[in-house]
Every structure is written in structure tokens, then in C-alpha cells.
Amino acid sequence: MTTKRRNSRQLLATAVLVALAAPGMAFAQTAKEAELEARVAQLEAQIQTLLQAQQQQQDSISQTQARLDEVQVAQPAASPLQSKPILANPDAVFSYGGFIKFDAMVTDTSDGAIAEGSAGRMFYVPSTIPVAANGAEADADPYTDFHAAFSRFWFAADHTTEGGDKFRAFIEADMYGGGTSNLGNEVNTNTHGLTLRHAYVSWNNWLAGQTWSNFQDVAALPEAVDFVGVTEGTTFVRQAQIRYTSGPFSIALENPQTTVGNVATGARNNAGGSDSLPDVSARYVMKGDWGHFSAAGLLRQLKSGDESETGAAVSLSGKFNIGANDDIRWMASYGSGIGRYLGFGIGPDSVVDANGDLHAQDGGGGFVAWRHAFSDKLRSNLMYSVAEFDNDRDLFGWGSIIDGNGVVQSFGVTERSQSFHANLIYSPFPKLDIGAEIGWGQRELEDNRKGDLKRIQTTVKYTF
């Protein structure tokens, strides 16, 4: 036993002796020292056992670490999964946005309900207003629809080269594509498919891809709770095109598509498979603090099979600011072959006569809307919209639609449609809109039959 250990034992024995000492106890000093020596020896043995176990554990850890070091030396260093930036163009500026829009509406139509699942159940589409056959009664109770199909998302990438060339790629989609499977209905999942709204690339003054038609003035559209509101009176087309813009002037070659209708039956088909020339549109816009004014022209080749016809139309539109809290927005369009560009195709581009010859259909429409801001958070819009088509009965022959009893058969084609809308929109926060709108619409056929629509619609919209 070393001197150091003996001294430690003596100190430990002394400490134990002091701790165990009690007043009044009498015992021999030598006996107590012997007992303490025995206890100290026992404690030392226990400590030695613990130190040996700790050393064995440390040796095991060291051996494991040595094996791990051998494995790392044997294997080459792992290469990174991505050696370069994931972005194909790291100099591009990316942006995204969109909104969530919830719509709830109650609809009452005079001549039966609009077919469930059709566009007219989701927003105001005048061509879907039911009109009963002569002498028929088709009353329907009011019906309710909820949906969020017009929620949308967009993504853009902008890049400017060292030489000053500006590029932009833009894509946008909403959920208006309808159900994509047997589960995509109101029974369970209410699934809607993606709808491609915009997909284009622009380079300085040039644009190629799908976006609003150059014939349409989007900036003149009023703020509606409905998807469009002034549907029948506005030009409304998104399609693929090549466009050149220079200051206030723009010209575009756009996707052609001819719709062909029948004056007597109202039946229509899309004969675009035989279109051979693009639609040509041109626009001029003037802007200022007072608002803006736009003039647009359209030239088309209408074609069905071997038959072809020329169509041309003009559209004037704008927005006039009246003080700080009011503005007037308006549009007026007219032409031959304007059909599918106006009111979601409420009228056809062309019609066929009894001999199968093709004729461009004349028609026009427009709207006017007044917007008033009561405050930064509360505003209101009043809107009137109308469209009318010149259905030439002589093209089909009046006598050919009289039956054997001398009764004139129905003309099923739309002659006129009009609507009123009034709304109130409240924005408690800058990006949150809560709105309510009342609307009345009417569709009138060539034989003077009419069908009415009354609708109350509410919305909650959050823009991000």
C-alpha cells in the first residue's frame, strides 16, 4: 500500500469516525480504528470494481471508433447530390400569386332549372337560361350551389439580359375544369380539374402563347361578385396567339375556330377543324389620369367544310374616372362573325341556309357599369349588359318551318339577352373581399319566347 493511499485511508477513517461519533458513547479508540479500516478497505474494493468497468467500456468505444475510421478511409468521399443551382436560370426573378374564391348562390329560373354540372350553375352564362317550348310549363323551385372552382394560382419568371432584352414566362390555372373522375361530383369529393388560363412567353415587344385575345379589353371589366357579371355584353376569349406590341398599338394572329348555327333549331356545331387562316386582331389604347380608351378590330375567315365566309368586327371600350371615388366602365361591340368572341358564344359565328351555304352572323352587344367607393373598405357596382343577333329567317325559309297543320314551328335560336347586376363588396383587410350581388337575366328566342333568371350570390375571396 502506497503512502498516498494510506494517507487517504486515514483521512477517510477519520471522517467516518467523526460522522459516527455520538455524545455519551464510550468505546476503545483502537477498536474503532480497526472497524473503520475494514470499512474503508471495503469501499476501496467497490471503487476499484467500478473503475475497471468504466475502463472496459471506454476500451469498447475506442475499438468501435477505430473500425468506423477504417470504413471511412476505405470508401471515397460522397459527391453532393446537386453540384450546381437547381434553377436553370439563376438570374431570373420568380413571383407567384393567386386567390381563393368561395361562391354561394341561390338561383330561380322561370322555365325549369339549369342543368346541374353546367357552367350556368357556377356563374352567369346567358345561353344556359332555360326557355320552355311553346305551351309548356317548366316551373322550378329555387336551387342552391356552393363551389370554389374559380380559385386560381399563377407563376411567373422574369429575366433581363446584360444586353437589355426582357423575357417573361407566365402560367396561370384555376379549378374550372370540371370533375376528373367518378368521384368528382357533389355527392362526395366535389373535385374539379385544372383549367389552363394563361401560358405564354414574352420577349421585349413579342408574345407567344395563350392569353386574353387582343380583341378583348380586360381593363374595362367591372368588379363583379359573379365570375364576369356583364357576360352577354363583353368580348371574352382566351386563346393561343402571336402578338406584337409597340407602345399603345398591338396586332395579333390568333387561333381560328368557327361556330356554325341553325336559325330554326338553334343547334350549333364547332367546325374549327377546317379553319385555315388565323384570326387577325388589332388594338389601340390611350391612357391618362382620366382613365383609358380602347379601339379594337377583328378580321376572320369563317369556314365549314368547303364553305367559307369573311367576318369583321369592331369593339370600343374604356374606363372614365369621376373624381376620387367613382368611375364608369363600358364596352360596345358589333360585327359580322363576332359570335364566339361575344358573351361566351351566346350567338354563332355563322349560320347555314336551307341549301347548306355559309353566312356570317351579324350581332353586337355592350355594357355600362358604375362603381362607387363609399370608403377604402366598402364599394358598390351597378351594371347593365345586353347582346342582340340578327337571325335572318329568310336564310332558312319561313315556309319551310310550317308543319302540315299550318302551325309555325319554333325558332330556337337566341335573338337577345340582357341582365342587371348590383353588388356590395366589403374589404375588412386589404386582400380579403366579402361580397354580395343580386342579378336578373333574360334570354329571348327568335320566336319571342323568353326565359328569366334571378340570382343572389355571395363570395369570400382572399388574394395572396
Side-chain angles (χ1 to χ4, degrees):
M1 180 179 298
T2 61
T3 304
K4 184 176 182 180
R5 179 174 298 179
R6 184 180 301 109
N7 293 336
S8 297
R9 290 181 61 183
Q10 291 175 352
L11 290 174
L12 181 59
T14 303
V16 173
L17 178 62
V18 171
L20 296 178
M25 293 181 62
F27 51 86
Q29 187 69 26
T30 56
K32 290 183 180 222
E33 288 181 357
E35 182 181 355
L36 289 176
E37 286 285 345
R39 291 184 180 181
V40 170
Q42 183 179 5
L43 289 175
E44 283 188 342
Q46 292 176 352
I47 292 172
Q48 187 64 29
T49 301
L50 290 174
L51 290 175
Q52 290 176 355
Q54 182 181 7
Q55 185 62 42
Q56 291 176 356
Q57 184 178 12
Q58 185 64 40
D59 292 343
S60 177
I61 293 174
S62 299
Q63 293 174 3
T64 302
Q65 184 63 47
R67 284 195 292 268
L68 289 175
D69 294 340
E70 291 176 359
V71 172
Q72 291 178 353
V73 172
Q75 294 181 350
S79 59
L81 295 177
Q82 183 70 33
S83 58
K84 296 181 179 180
I86 295 177
L87 300 178
N89 186 357
D91 297 325
V93 177
F94 294 91
S95 56
Y96 67 90
F99 57 74
I100 303 300
K101 189 175 190 292
F102 165 75
D103 291 304
M105 64 197 74
V106 178
T107 306
D108 183 15
T109 41
S110 62
D111 292 85
I114 299 173
E116 186 174 356
S118 71
R121 294 290 288 260
M122 304 178 74
F123 68 104
Y124 176 60
V125 182
S127 60
T128 65
I129 298 177
V131 178
N134 286 335
E137 295 184 1
D139 292 337
D141 292 332
Y143 40 98
T144 300
D145 293 286
F146 288 7
H147 70 86
F150 292 121
S151 302
R152 70 181 62 163
F153 181 86
W154 61 263
F155 182 82
D158 294 275
H159 174 61
T160 302
T161 67
E162 294 182 357
D165 291 306
K166 295 183 178 180
F167 291 87
R168 162 166 261 224
F170 184 88
I171 188 167
E172 182 182 69
D174 63 18
M175 313 302 160
Y176 178 53
T180 57
S181 68
N182 292 332
L183 298 178
N185 54 54
E186 296 183 44
V187 175
N188 34 55
T189 64
N190 287 270
T191 302
H192 294 277
L194 285 174
T195 299
L196 180 65
R197 291 173 52 85
H198 302 274
Y200 65 82
V201 59
S202 62
W203 166 51
N204 295 335
N205 296 0
W206 290 93
L207 179 147
Q210 175 167 308
T211 189
W212 297 115
S213 170
N214 191 43
F215 188 62
Q216 179 180 352
D217 183 10
V218 182
L221 289 176
E223 185 180 25
V225 171
D226 182 78
F227 178 58
V228 181
V230 290
T231 307
E232 58 265 275
T234 183
T235 56
F236 194 102
V237 172
R238 290 189 302 265
Q239 60 191 3
Q241 61 192 272
I242 299 175
R243 183 189 301 182
Y244 178 79
T245 303
S246 178
F249 179 76
S250 58
I251 186 170
L253 301 179
E254 306 192 27
N255 179 64
Q257 177 76 9
T258 301
T259 60
V260 181
N262 185 295
V263 175
T265 65
R268 186 182 306 179
N269 66 81
N270 298 331
S274 58
D275 290 307
S276 55
L277 295 177
D279 293 351
V280 181
S281 63
R283 173 176 297 279
Y284 184 82
V285 181
M286 293 186 298
K287 297 181 180 180
D289 294 338
W290 49 270
H292 83 272
F293 170 77
S294 172
L298 179 68
L299 184 64
R300 311 180 63 193
Q301 181 201 48
L302 309 175
K303 195 171 183 182
S304 176
D306 295 331
E307 294 290 320
S308 65
E309 181 69 289
T310 300
V314 63
S315 180
L316 305 177
S317 58
K319 171 188 172 185
F320 294 128
N321 298 321
I322 305 174
N325 299 321
D326 297 85
D327 65 61
I328 300 294
R329 308 181 191 202
W330 62 279
M331 180 179 291
S333 308
Y334 182 82
S336 181
I338 196 174
R340 74 177 181 89
Y341 281 85
L342 185 65
F344 282 88
I346 189 174
D349 299 325
S350 59
V351 294
V352 291
D353 61 21
N355 299 319
D357 296 328
L358 192 68
H359 302 266
Q361 172 81 314
D362 294 337
F367 68 80
V368 61
W370 170 49
R371 179 183 183 272
H372 174 71
F374 297 96
S375 67
D376 293 339
K377 296 183 177 182
L378 185 64
R379 56 203 180 274
S380 178
N381 297 268
L382 298 177
M383 300 164 269
Y384 174 72
S385 176
V386 63
E388 189 167 342
F389 293 88
D390 182 14
N391 302 301
D392 191 348
R393 301 185 184 187
D394 293 335
L395 291 178
F396 198 83
W398 176 267
S400 63
I401 60 168
I402 299 178
D403 64 16
N405 298 321
V407 178
V408 177
Q409 300 301 296
S410 299
F411 280 99
V413 67
T414 300
E415 179 186 21
R416 191 172 192 270
S417 178
Q418 61 179 332
S419 66
F420 292 93
H421 296 266
N423 63 42
L424 196 63
I425 301 174
Y426 177 62
S427 300
F429 301 97
K431 295 184 178 182
L432 179 65
D433 297 331
I434 302 172
E437 183 171 290
I438 57 173
W440 171 87
Q442 182 184 76
R443 182 166 75 104
E444 182 177 353
L445 305 186
E446 186 64 31
D447 58 12
N448 296 325
R449 285 180 294 142
K450 300 177 182 179
D452 297 337
L453 174 148
K454 295 183 285 291
R455 175 171 286 170
I456 299 176
Q457 182 171 349
T458 59
T459 191
V460 176
K461 176 183 173 184
Y462 178 75
T463 303
F464 56 87

